[in-house]
Structures are given as structure tokens and as C-alpha cells.
């Protein structure tokens, strides 16, 4: 059975080496954004890829986008992504959340009715968590003809080898558990190409598109950047826009799993996890920040800024009274977030 890729600091360094990212490609933040200083951005996100181009662009010509697969109930890492989008939106940024109903239907072979019902609940949940649907976009893939047409148009610029190279690092781990096809099948290729088309569609009306994803999905952005660079005069799509990224760290999964996953039962706290179990799981994590899902979740949540997280790192390591009190307060916060999920 395939061993999981654990998202440790050595993994992050290996990504830089394997894909020849230079320190000028994947960088820490040295600029502020949406009212957040660089230190807070560097605790919230692992790095950015050409992200410095984003604030140089006028606000009306730039947008932040992220998306979620509808393969299962949202877990806390997903919740933290929604809250980060709320944070950016409240800081004045134009934001879009794409709900991957067609992605789950094809890429994960989920029933159509189930993914559509889940997508509607996701949309309501994002609004409940504070996302302003009047000034931002929360949309489905189903019925969005611009992206579906763009998916077909960019198809002529994609080879099978491009699709194969875009597999995420833990693909073999999921295959071994029967969660995904063992190769880049046609339906999975459609799912990946539609994601790239979502980015292309935003590039038709924006000079910079900032994609917010986990670092495990960096290959998807590279794939979309490659496709954009291949566009020529034969396709009625603009390619002269910047496609940049802000990558988050991974939250280590429970039970030895590499990360929180909607597809792997027991790997995460999700919106259906009972309150008593939430308390047990968060309090039972190792007192080592690099191994503690609890501390890693704190880093992801807009509840904390750098000024609070840096001393908490030491308190976690020492399992101090301050740390235990913070875990208890954080647990109450998490239980409240879970309670807002539409039942």
C-alpha cells in the first residue's frame, strides 16, 4: 500500500527542488494585503507564487479565487479556507468561491443529486460564516457556461502527458484506498481541465487572478499556467493576465493520515463531528507544533494573528497552562463553527 506523503518542512523543501521553484518563485510575504501585515500572512499561508504582482494591480482588475470539491462534508481545513476568503473580502478584495459539484460528479464519481444538494448547503454555509454574496461570488460549476465553453476551447492545447504530470503527490495513497481512479481517466481529465478553465474565465476580465489553494495542489496551478502560456491567436480567449497563487500549509490528519481529507473517514474533524469528539481530538494532539493538528489549525484560522501564534508555538511545545487554556477556548470556537452548518 502506498505510504502517505507527509506535509512536513522537508516536503516543502522537496517541492521547491523537484519543480525548480527558485526562492523568487515561491516566496514568503514581504508585503501586506487586505489590511493584513506580512507576518500574519506568513503564518496564515506557506508562501506565494508571484503574489507580489497582485497588489500592484488596481483593485477593480484583480480577484482572489478558491474552490472546494463536493466529495464530502467540509472539514475544519475547508472551513479555515472559507474564513480566509471572508477575511480577504472584508479587507477590500474581490473574491470568488467555486463549488466543485461537477468536479465531484466526474473526478470522484459522486451521484449528481448528492453533489448538487451538498453544493447548495456549502453556499449557505459560506454566507453563514460571513462571506458577502452581494459583493463577492459563490457559484456552482454546473450551469456556468463561460467556464464550460472555455474548458472546450483550451482542450486543443493540452496533451495527455500534461494531465498525467498534474497528479497530486498523494494520488497513490488515495488510489490504494479506492477513492479515485488509478490513472488520469477521461472523467478526471475533464475535472482538472474545468478547474483550469475556471481560472481562464476570470482572466478574461481581470489582469491578475490570485488562486488560494493548499500547497498539495500546486501542480494544478502550474498546469493552468502552462495552458495559458500555450494559447495563441486561434482561440477566442485572452491570455495576457497574471495567474498567481497563495498556498496554505497542510493540516496533518488524525489516525496517521497525511492531511485532513473529505474522502477519508477519521482523518479530520468535519461539520458532523460530535462536540465531545472534537474536544477529545483537539486536546489529544502531540505537544509538538509541527505534529499537532490543533496548532496547525490555529495557524490557518483568522482568529489568530502572528503576534498570538508565535508565543503559542512555545506554549504548545511546553504543554503549558496557557496552551491548555487556549486549546479549550479554541475548541469552543470550533464547535460554534460546526454548529452553523445547515442541518
Amino acid at each position: 500500500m502506498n505510504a502517505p506523503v507527509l506535509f512536513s518542512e522537508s516536503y516543502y523543501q522537496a517541492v521547491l527542488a523537484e519543480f525548480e521553484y527558485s526562492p523568487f518563485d515561491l516566496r514568503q510575504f514581504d508585503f501586506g494585503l487586505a489590511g493584513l501585515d506580512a507576518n500574519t500572512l506568513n503564518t496564515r499561508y506557506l508562501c506565494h507564487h508571484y503574489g507580489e504582482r497582485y497588489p500592484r494591480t488596481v483593485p477593480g482588475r484583480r480577484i482572489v479565487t478558491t474552490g472546494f470539491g463536493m466529495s464530502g462534508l467540509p472539514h475544519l481545513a475547508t472551513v479555515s479556507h472559507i474564513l480566509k476568503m471572508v477575511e480577504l473580502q472584508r479587507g477590500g478584495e474581490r473574491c470568488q468561491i467555486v463549488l466543485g459539484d461537477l468536479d465531484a460528479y466526474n473526478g470522484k464519481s459522486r451521484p449528481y443529486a448528492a453533489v448538487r444538494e451538498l453544493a447548495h448547503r456549502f453556499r449557505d454555509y459560506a454566507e453563514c460564516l460571513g462571506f458577502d454574496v452581494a459583493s463577492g461570488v459563490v457559484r456552482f460549476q454546473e450551469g456556468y457556461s463561460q467556464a464550460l465553453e472555455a474548458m472546450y476551447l483550451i482542450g486543443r492545447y493540452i496533451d495527455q502527458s500534461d494531465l498525467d504530470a498534474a497528479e497530486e503527490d498523494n494520488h497513490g495513497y488515495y488510489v490504494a484506498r479506492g477513492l479515485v481512479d488509478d490513472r488520469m481517466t477521461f472523467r478526471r481529465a475533464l475535472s482538472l481541465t474545468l478547474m483550469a478553465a475556471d481560472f481562464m474565465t476570470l482572466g478574461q476580465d481581470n489582469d491578475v487572478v490570485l488562486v488560494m489553494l493548499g500547497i498539495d495542489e500546486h501542480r494544478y496551478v502550474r498546469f493552468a499556467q502552462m495552458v495559458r502560456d500555450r494559447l495563441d491567436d486561434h482561440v477566442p480567449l485572452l491570455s495576457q493576465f497574471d495567474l498567481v497563487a497563495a498556498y496554505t500549509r497542510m493540516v496533518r490528519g488524525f489516525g496517521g493520515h497525511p492531511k485532513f481529507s473529505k474522502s477519508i473517514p477519521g482523518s479530520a474533524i468535519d461539520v458532523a463531528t460530535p462536540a465531545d469528539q472534537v474536544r477529545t481530538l483537539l486536546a489529544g494532539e502531540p505537544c509538538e507544533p509541527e505534529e499537532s493538528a490543533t496548532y496547525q489549525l490555529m495557524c490557518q484560522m483568522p482568529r489568530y494573528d502572528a503576534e498570538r501564534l508565535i508565543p503559542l508555538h512555545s506554549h504548545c511545545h511546553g504543554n503549558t497552562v496557557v496552551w491548555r487554556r487556549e486549546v479549550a477556548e479554541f475548541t469552543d470556537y470550533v464547535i460554534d463553527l460546526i454548529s452553523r452548518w445547515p442541518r
Side-chain angles (χ1 to χ4, degrees):
M1 183 173 289
N2 291 73
V5 175
L6 296 176
F7 297 102
S8 60
E9 289 303 319
S10 60
Y11 164 80
Y12 298 136
Q13 295 302 318
V15 167
L16 268 65
E18 179 181 354
F19 293 91
E20 299 180 346
Y21 287 121
S22 76
F24 298 102
D25 290 334
L26 292 184
R27 301 172 57 187
Q28 287 199 306
F29 287 85
D30 58 4
F31 56 88
L33 181 64
L36 305 173
D37 61 36
N39 286 338
T40 296
L41 289 170
N42 285 323
T43 57
R44 196 88 76 240
Y45 302 91
L46 172 67
C47 59
H48 67 83
H49 188 211
Y50 297 128
E52 73 280 358
R53 300 177 183 179
Y54 183 84
R56 295 174 186 167
T57 306
V58 296
R61 298 291 300 176
R62 68 193 194 200
I63 192 167
V64 184
T65 187
T66 194
F68 306 109
M70 299 294 103
S71 58
L73 294 173
H75 52 60
L76 285 185
T78 297
V79 173
S80 77
H81 280 290
I82 298 173
L83 292 173
K84 283 193 281 287
M85 292 297 281
V86 172
E87 179 178 53
L88 292 171
Q89 186 185 55
R90 288 177 175 171
E93 297 305 322
R94 297 166 60 233
C95 296
Q96 172 187 265
I97 295 173
V98 177
L99 304 175
D101 44 8
L102 297 183
D103 167 72
Y105 170 75
N106 257 337
K108 296 291 179 65
S109 300
R110 297 295 194 267
Y112 179 80
V115 299
R116 293 291 294 146
E117 189 271 339
L118 186 57
H120 279 85
R121 294 170 77 188
F122 256 84
R123 182 185 61 184
D124 293 344
Y125 190 48
E127 189 172 1
C128 184
L129 291 178
F131 192 87
D132 184 355
V133 296
S135 62
V137 175
V138 180
R139 70 165 177 83
F140 311 122
Q141 291 177 315
E142 193 273 335
Y144 194 72
S145 59
Q146 289 176 273
L148 292 168
E149 181 177 315
M151 177 180 70
Y152 195 93
L153 290 171
I154 66 177
R156 68 184 284 176
Y157 301 92
I158 299 170
D159 295 324
Q160 184 63 43
S161 59
D162 303 323
L163 297 162
D164 294 337
E167 294 281 21
E168 67 171 283
D169 292 332
N170 266 317
H171 174 66
Y173 189 72
Y174 296 127
V175 169
R177 284 153 181 77
L179 299 172
V180 69
D181 295 331
D182 62 355
R183 64 193 185 286
M184 185 58 72
T185 53
F186 179 66
R187 64 186 179 188
R188 292 188 61 231
L190 285 175
S191 183
L192 175 58
T193 307
L194 181 55
M195 180 189 294
D198 285 338
F199 304 155
M200 299 298 166
T201 302
L202 287 178
Q204 305 312 292
D205 300 306
N206 294 279
D207 295 328
V208 183
V209 177
L210 172 62
V211 181
M212 195 264 280
L213 294 173
I215 187 61
D216 60 324
E217 297 175 317
H218 71 97
R219 295 180 193 237
Y220 301 158
V221 177
R222 288 175 64 93
F223 172 79
Q225 290 168 331
M226 176 204 67
V227 173
R228 177 207 55 190
D229 293 343
R230 290 179 182 174
L231 299 184
D232 54 29
D233 294 338
H234 298 293
V235 62
L237 292 172
L238 299 174
S239 61
Q240 299 304 309
F241 66 94
D242 284 318
L243 181 57
V244 305
Y247 292 120
T248 62
R249 293 175 176 83
M250 297 293 97
V251 177
R252 188 183 291 255
F254 299 111
H257 295 293
K259 66 171 186 173
F260 275 29
S261 172
K262 293 188 290 293
S263 302
I264 303 177
S267 67
I269 295 171
D270 64 31
V271 293
T273 305
D276 288 347
Q277 188 175 350
V278 172
R279 295 185 188 281
T280 299
L281 288 170
L282 293 179
E285 280 296 277
C287 295
E288 185 60 51
E290 286 71 26
E291 298 179 7
S292 169
T294 305
Y295 182 78
Q296 291 166 13
L297 281 168
M298 290 176 178
C299 291
Q300 298 277 8
M301 295 287 188
R303 173 185 172 91
Y304 298 92
D305 58 16
E307 189 174 345
R308 290 185 67 189
L309 284 167
I310 291 172
L312 279 176
H313 187 282
S314 297
H315 285 296
C316 173
H317 187 72
N319 193 24
T320 67
V321 172
V322 172
W323 171 248
R324 294 193 295 273
R325 182 172 64 243
E326 191 63 46
V327 170
E329 293 177 1
F330 180 65
T331 300
D332 290 338
Y333 169 71
V334 165
I335 291 170
D336 175 66
L337 292 175
I338 288 174
S339 72
R340 303 185 199 183
W341 174 252
R343 304 297 171 180

